[in-house]
């Protein structure tokens, strides 16, 4: 299934795709609303034509004022097709339904995303810190989280090539 | 039936020690004790050093090279000197009395084992008991109590698991060990260890008792917790088993007992199966004790070689092997020995 | 322990004791990150630090004399390092192996890395590099052995602040108090 | 493991459903009133000989039977993704060397391939072939390490020493080209740091023969060893569907029977021009995982040997390169088949000299998240056999 065919199929089947994106390198992204996140994901997982059986990774990107873009990267081992499922959540109080019911592997990725960005994954059974130490405060991958060492002292090796 | 009094070299040997005749019993006793201690403190170190070097050379390395200058011969002495300086830690949760006494419970049987082991003819042994074999096998299994005590008293889960594994393993392998020994005793017609050696004048028992020999060596490895049966101290699973919490000299005692065990059980195997101090026919000018030591060395080399070669079994596979295969084979072996004795 | 660190031992006894400690450094591999691989490389075929009497069979801290902290120490891991160090019996030594454990190395600006294990445990020898070559560890061990050979345990325990050696740095003790 | 109660939770913890290989065993034993035993919580790690690194496992035991296991990770979390946001692309090459420290070359490859694709830089032929060659050598290095350490965990100490005997030679070879024993930093955006030294290819082909010859040692010591087979065959079976759900890739997925390898399915560099196979296991057990690892070394050596003949002469950097590396605005997910599986970098550029965001998708992270599934219902000694065969590097897990 080509990228185009996939996008058309998902659009048609779910009717929940806001917009699609194909990069010059041919990578596919489907943008959905947080409310439709689980619906589209479930279709991608269960539909025999899509058959995205592999949960590759899930993360987010800090888009500053737009909020956070949550990305789930799925892969189909049968059609060798990859798709990025994307949704935008607000900076504060953002919540996305969990995908742990669809792919077992989503659990760790969502925990990581939760602690790194502070995005809630509604329905996740075990949303606790994964990588950070227990006393750690803050969400490191948010842009407002500054690296104190760098604030205190600029890296002495910073030099532009001439 | 061979009786002890029928073997002249043994019957007359009561006051003979290391080839000399002693009339003063106290001098004799003192000498014997000193000899045991000297042998106990040197032979295991030799095996330990050999293990370092043999393993190293099998693994494309050199092993200790610096301590004592010449090929690191003093490595284990340095270890000993270091161990006596180390801080002696008793974990606060430990059962202190048991924790302290456990190394001794492992060490003392290991020393006592050497009392009956004969190294050569004409009194190269400390005590010639009529029940020598029985005594040796009985004493060698006492150490399991020390092991359990150490594991339990350490108040450490890894220690406890290690100790329980060790106990299960020792109990399982005590049986084939004893049964294999029993077949030899039947063949020799005596339980006295020098007597068994004398009975091998014509042929070594390894030939008629080839199954027994295999069983004995395998069970000895398990008794000693040596690879591939080193689950009680499996370092990648349970750190150091019952020794996990021990420091300094107490830990050194455990190690010493382990290597003494290798020496003792090797001597026992040599005495039971490989003709003890009896040499090969044409090179008989080599004195008996050297023959024993050479054979012990060969067996110890084999034990070390196994360590370099094999991964370890799993605890339940080990148990299965003992109960389902080795013990039946040992019983059949006894039966065959009986038939052999009656027919020939 | 008990006596050796409280009295000044006569020279011959001290020599023998120091010799024993020098050549019997059972090492606790506190392998954390990349440097752990070079630490293993130092213990295997080509470099084989067992030649120097560094025996890598101490699997638990209780039997170890030397702690080699190899790799990045994170704040989450730091309590475990402290605990391992406390579990080791005296006299014990510590080698900080690699830039990360010396000072944070390439992770100097990270939010979760402890910049320097000397904040947690006293370090005897620092081995720089990212990761240092196994030869650098051998050099560090030899420097440590030289230090052990003429130290007095009594003085060692009396000394509150430890002096450190930097491999490749000036020969002899370096005072870190003014850094 | 929390989430077992799951009150008011729409979806229960999927890792609890529907059981691992030992499904039902634990419940029968623990639930029986006649043989009711007390569960023991055992904490393995973070510093434990078997976890090769700083992974912590909290396992619930019934006797020696594992009822539940939870990996506690993060002890090596160094904040790579945050640090990548304050480093320019040149520095990131040096940084990513260090997250999977056993396959540094593969890591830097992922980044430079991504940035080159974003900037649409044409990499010279020679540079591509050299990258392929060194990436495969790096894979051999990595796999040798795991072959050795797996043996060590099962109690066989010699394979480790043999592995390092070979590793030292290969590291020497790579050091000749790159200047680094472990962290090569040999790639540049657009090409390579410098050309191969004289005599490199000759030495490389000699070494390929040597390593291939010495692989027999491992076959004898491990693959053909009865005890090794007893410890690994049938232990920790992983079905392909579960492996995919957890996102396992590389040897783990291939052992489970899925021939997924981006060198084949989405060829990059010169992998479409060389001939190699993707080994596939049958049962997905510990033995298969190890066997796949072994076969992957053979295949890598095959690629290495083909590279020797095919490396063309020519430049190693494109003629015209911008002074500052500033990829245009956009995003890319660059995925490579690294030693342990798929290593991907999701790079978001806003036109600056630093990436706006660089998400690292690492194979070890997914592999470790799958461990609880494998461990439920196995014995403690098998924990080692399972953990050792789920190949992971802790830095790659925690990043």
């Amino acid at each position: 299934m080509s990228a185009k065919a996939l996008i058309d199929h998902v659009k048609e089947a779910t009717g929940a795709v806001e917009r699609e994106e194909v990069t010059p390198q041919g990578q596919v992204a489907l943008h959905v609303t947080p409310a439709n996140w689980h619906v589209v994901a479930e279709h991608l997982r269960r539909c025999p034509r899509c058959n995205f059986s592999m949960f590759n990774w899930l993360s987010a990107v800090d888009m500053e004022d737009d909020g956070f873009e949550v990305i789930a990267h799925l892969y189909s081992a049968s059609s060798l097709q990859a798709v990025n499922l994307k949704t935008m959540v607000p900076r504060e109080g953002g919540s996305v339904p969990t995908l742990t019911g669809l792919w077992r592997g989503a659990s760790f990725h969502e925990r990581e995303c939760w602690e790194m960005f502070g995005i809630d994954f509604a329905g996740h059974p075990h949303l606790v810190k994964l990588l950070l130490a227990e006393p750690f405060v803050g969400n490191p991958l948010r842009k407002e989280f500054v690296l104190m060492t760098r604030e205190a002292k600029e890296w002495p090796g910073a030099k532009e090539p001439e | 039936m061979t009786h002890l009094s029928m073997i002249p070299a043994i019957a007359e040997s009561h006051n003979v020690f290391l080839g000399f005749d002693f009339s003063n019993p106290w001098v004799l006793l003192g000498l014997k004790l000193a000899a045991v201690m000297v042998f106990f403190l040197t032979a295991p170190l030799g095996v330990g050093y050999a293990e370092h070097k043999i393993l190293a050379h099998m693994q494309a390395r050199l092993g200790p090279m610096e301590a004592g200058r010449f090929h690191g011969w003093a490595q284990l002495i340095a270890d000993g000197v270091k161990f006596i300086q180390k801080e002696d830690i008793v974990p606060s949760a430990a059962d202190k009395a048991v924790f302290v006494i456990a190394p001794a419970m492992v060490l003392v049987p290991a020393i006592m084992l050497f009392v009956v082991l004969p190294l050569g003819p004409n009194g190269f042994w400390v005590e010639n008991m009529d029940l020598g074999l029985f005594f040796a096998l009985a004493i060698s299994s006492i150490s399991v109590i020390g092991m359990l005590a150490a594991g339990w008293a350490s108040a450490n889960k890894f220690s406890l698991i290690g100790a329980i594994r060790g106990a299960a393993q020792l109990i399982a392998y005590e049986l084939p060990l004893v049964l294999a020994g029993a077949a030899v005793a039947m063949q020799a017609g005596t339980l006295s260890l020098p007597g068994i050696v004398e009975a091998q004048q014509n042929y070594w028992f390894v030939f008629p008792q080839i199954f027994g020999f295999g069983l004995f060596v395998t069970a000895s490895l398990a008794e000693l917790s040596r690879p591939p049966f080193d689950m009680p101290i499996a370092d990648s699973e349970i750190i150091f088993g019952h020794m996990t919490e021990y420091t300094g000299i107490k830990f050194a005692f455990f190690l010493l007992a382990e290597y003494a065990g290798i020496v003792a059980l090797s001597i026992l195997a040599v005495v039971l199966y490989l003709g003890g101090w009896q040499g090969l026919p044409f090179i008989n000018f080599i004195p008996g004790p050297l023959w024993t030591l050479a054979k012990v060395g060969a067996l110890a080399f084999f034990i070390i070689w196994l360590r370099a070669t094999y991964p370890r079994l799993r605890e339940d596979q080990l148990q299965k092997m003992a109960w389902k295969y080795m013990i039946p084979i040992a019983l059949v072996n006894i039966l065959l020995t009986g038939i052999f004795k009656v027919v020939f | 322990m008990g006596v050796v660190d409280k009295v000044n031992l006569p020279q011959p006894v001290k020599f023998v004791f120091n010799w024993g400690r020098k050549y019997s450094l059972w090492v606790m591999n506190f392998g954390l990150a990349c440097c752990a691989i070079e630490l293993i490389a130092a213990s295997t075929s080509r470099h084989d630090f067992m030649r120097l009497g560094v025996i890598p069979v101490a699997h638990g801290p209780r039997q170890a004399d030397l702690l080699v902290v190899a790799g990045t120490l994170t704040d989450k891991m730091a309590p475990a390092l402290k605990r391992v160090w406390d579990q080791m019996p005296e006299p014990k030594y510590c080698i900080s192996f690699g830039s990360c454990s010396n000072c944070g190395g390439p992770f100097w600006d990270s939010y979760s890395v402890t910049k320097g294990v000397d904040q947690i445990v006293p370090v005897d020898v620092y081995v720089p590099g990212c990761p240092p070559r196994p030869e650098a560890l051998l050099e560090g061990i030899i420097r440590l052995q030289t230090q052990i050979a003429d130290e007095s345990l009594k003085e060692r325990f009396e000394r509150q602040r430890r002096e450190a050696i930097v491999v490749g740095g000036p020969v002899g003790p370096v005072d870190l108090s003014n850094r | 493991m929390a989430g077992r109660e799951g009150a008011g939770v729409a979806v229960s913890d999927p890792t609890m459903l529907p059981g691992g290989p030992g499904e039902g065993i634990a419940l029968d034993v623990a639930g029986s009133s006649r043989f009711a035993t007390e569960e023991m919580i055992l904490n393995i790690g973070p510093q434990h000989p078997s976890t090769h690194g700083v992974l912590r496992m909290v396992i619930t035991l019934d006797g020696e039977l594992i009822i539940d296991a939870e990996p506690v990770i993060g002890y090596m979390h160094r904040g790579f993704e945050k640090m990548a946001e304050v480093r320019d692309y040149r520095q990131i090459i040096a940084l990513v060397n260090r997250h999977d420290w056993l396959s540094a070359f593969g890591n830097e490859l992922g980044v430079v391939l991504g940035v080159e694709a974003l900037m649409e830089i044409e990499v010279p032929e020679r540079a591509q072939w050299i990258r392929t060659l060194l990436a495969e050598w790096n894979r051999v290095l990595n796999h040798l390490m795991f072959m050795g350490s797996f043996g060590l965990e099962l109690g066989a100490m010699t394979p480790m020493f043999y592995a390092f005997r070979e590793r030292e030679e290969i590291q020497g070879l790579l050091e000749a080209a790159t200047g680094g024993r472990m962290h090569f930093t040999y790639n540049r955006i657009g090409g390579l740091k410098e050309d191969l030294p004289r005599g490199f290819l000759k030495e490389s082909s000699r070494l390929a023969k040597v390593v291939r010859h010495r692989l027999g040692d491992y076959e004898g010591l491990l693959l053909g060893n009865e005890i090794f087979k007893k410890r690994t065959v049938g232990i920790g079976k992983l079905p392909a569907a579960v492996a995919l759900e957890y996102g396992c890739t590389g040897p783990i997925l291939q052992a489970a029977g899925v021939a997924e390898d981006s060198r084949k399915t989405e060829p990059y560099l010169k992998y479409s021009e060389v001939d190699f196979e993707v080994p596939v296991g049958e049962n997905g057990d510990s033995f298969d995982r190890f066997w796949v690892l072994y076969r992957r070394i053979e295949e890598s050596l095959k690629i290495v040997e083909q590279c020797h003949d095919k490396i063309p002469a020519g430049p190693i950097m494109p003629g015209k390169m911008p002074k500052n590396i500033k990829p245009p605005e956009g995003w890319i997910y660059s995925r490579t088949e690294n030693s342990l599986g798929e290593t991907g970098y999701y790079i978001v550029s806003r036109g600056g000299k630093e990436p706006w965001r660089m998400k690292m998708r690492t194979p070890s992270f997914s592999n470790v998240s799958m461990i609880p599934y494998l461990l439920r219902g196995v014995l403690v000694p098998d924990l080692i056999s399972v953990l050792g065969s789920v190949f992971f590097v802790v830095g790659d897990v925690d990043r």
Side-chain angles (χ1 to χ4, degrees), chain D residues 3-19:
Chain D
R4 189 178 267 165
E5 303 84 10
V9 174
V11 186
S12 63
D13 184 350
T15 56
M16 298 302 297
L17 288 168

Side-chain angles (χ1 to χ4, degrees), chain A residues 22-27, chain D residues 89 111-124 128 131 188-191 318-322 324-332 334 347 349:
Chain A
V22 181
T23 65
Q25 293 81 21
Q27 300 188 344
Chain D
Y89 290 99
V111 174
V112 294
L113 286 177
V115 178
E116 282 158 7
L118 260 185
M119 296 177 73
E120 292 171 355
I121 296 174
E122 196 63 44
V123 181
Q128 291 202 30
R131 281 178 181 180
R188 295 291 182 268
I189 312 289
K320 207 163 75 64
M321 277 290 290
N324 277 318
I325 306 289
K326 284 185 180 168
E329 198 160 323
W331 56 268
I332 191 164
S334 131
I347 301 169
S349 169

Side-chain angles (χ1 to χ4, degrees), chain B residues 82-83 86-87 89 240 243-244 246-248 251, chain C residues 24-30 55-68 84-85 87-94:
Chain B
K82 180 209 62 184
F83 275 129
K86 293 295 276 187
E87 185 182 3
I89 298 176
F240 238 144
M243 298 184 266
T244 305
Y246 281 89
T247 60
F251 174 71
Chain C
S24 174
L25 288 167
W26 288 36
V27 61
M28 170 88 196
N29 293 354
F30 206 81
I55 313 285
V57 295
H59 299 294
R62 294 287 191 208
Q63 293 85 32
D65 314 300
L66 170 64
L67 180 72
V68 178
V84 164
W85 177 254
Q87 281 175 339
M88 283 168 61
E90 290 280 358
K92 53 193 173 186
Y93 305 91
C94 178

Side-chain angles (χ1 to χ4, degrees), chain D residues 212-261:
Chain D
R212 188 187 290 281
H213 175 71
R214 287 183 182 167
L215 277 180
D217 289 352
Y218 304 95
E219 201 164 358
L221 277 170
L222 294 174
L223 280 172
N225 187 307
E226 278 303 314
I227 296 181
F228 181 81
K229 279 187 191 158
K230 270 201 153 162
R231 290 296 304 274
T232 53
V233 173
I235 305 294
K237 281 192 183 174
L238 181 67
V242 178
L244 284 170
E245 272 190 58
Y246 280 108
C248 298
T249 45
I252 314 279
L253 186 62
Q254 289 159 11
V258 183
E260 164 63 36
D261 186 328

Side-chain angles (χ1 to χ4, degrees), chain C residues 66-130:
Chain C
L66 170 64
L67 180 72
V68 178
V69 187
T72 322
L73 184 74
T74 58
D75 293 344
K76 194 172 179 178
M77 191 65 194
L81 173 67
K82 178 74 181 147
R83 196 180 161 136
V84 164
W85 177 254
D86 289 344
Q87 281 175 339
M88 283 168 61
E90 290 280 358
K92 53 193 173 186
Y93 305 91
C94 178
I95 291 181
S96 163
F97 184 68
S99 295
C100 292
S101 56
N102 290 347
C103 61
F107 308 103
W108 66 281
D109 53 351
S110 169
Y111 51 82
S112 58
V113 170
T114 309
K115 283 100 189 171
V117 293
D118 44 10
Q119 299 174 35
I120 313 288
V121 295
V123 174
D124 290 274
V125 176
Y126 295 90
V127 182
C130 188

Side-chain angles (χ1 to χ4, degrees), chain B residues 134-215:
Chain B
F134 178 79
F135 177 84
L137 292 175
I139 284 287
S140 74
S141 54
I142 288 183
S143 62
V144 65
I145 300 172
M147 209 164 163
L148 265 178
W152 180 78
S154 296
N156 180 319
K157 285 170 186 168
F158 290 117
S159 299
L160 187 64
I161 294 178
I164 290 171
R165 281 185 182 186
Q169 182 169 324
L170 260 67
I171 289 166
Y173 279 84
E174 200 59 39
L175 268 173
L177 195 72
V178 171
L179 291 175
V184 172
M186 281 170 70
Q187 178 119 24
T190 173
L191 279 172
S192 153
L193 293 174
I196 290 174
V197 174
E198 289 296 330
Q200 300 182 54
Q201 241 159 5
N202 298 327
Y203 53 86
W204 295 357
F205 283 166
V206 66
F207 301 114
Q209 295 281 345
I210 183 73
F211 293 119
F213 181 63
L215 290 173

Side-chain angles (χ1 to χ4, degrees), chain D residues 289-306:
Chain D
R289 287 190 280 274
F290 188 80
W291 178 82
V292 165
L293 202 70
Y294 177 83
R295 288 279 294 113
R296 274 166 70 106
I297 297 184
E298 288 185 337
E299 295 302 323
S300 288
L301 290 175
K302 219 156 100 184
I303 301 176
V304 163
E305 279 164 354
Q306 292 173 55

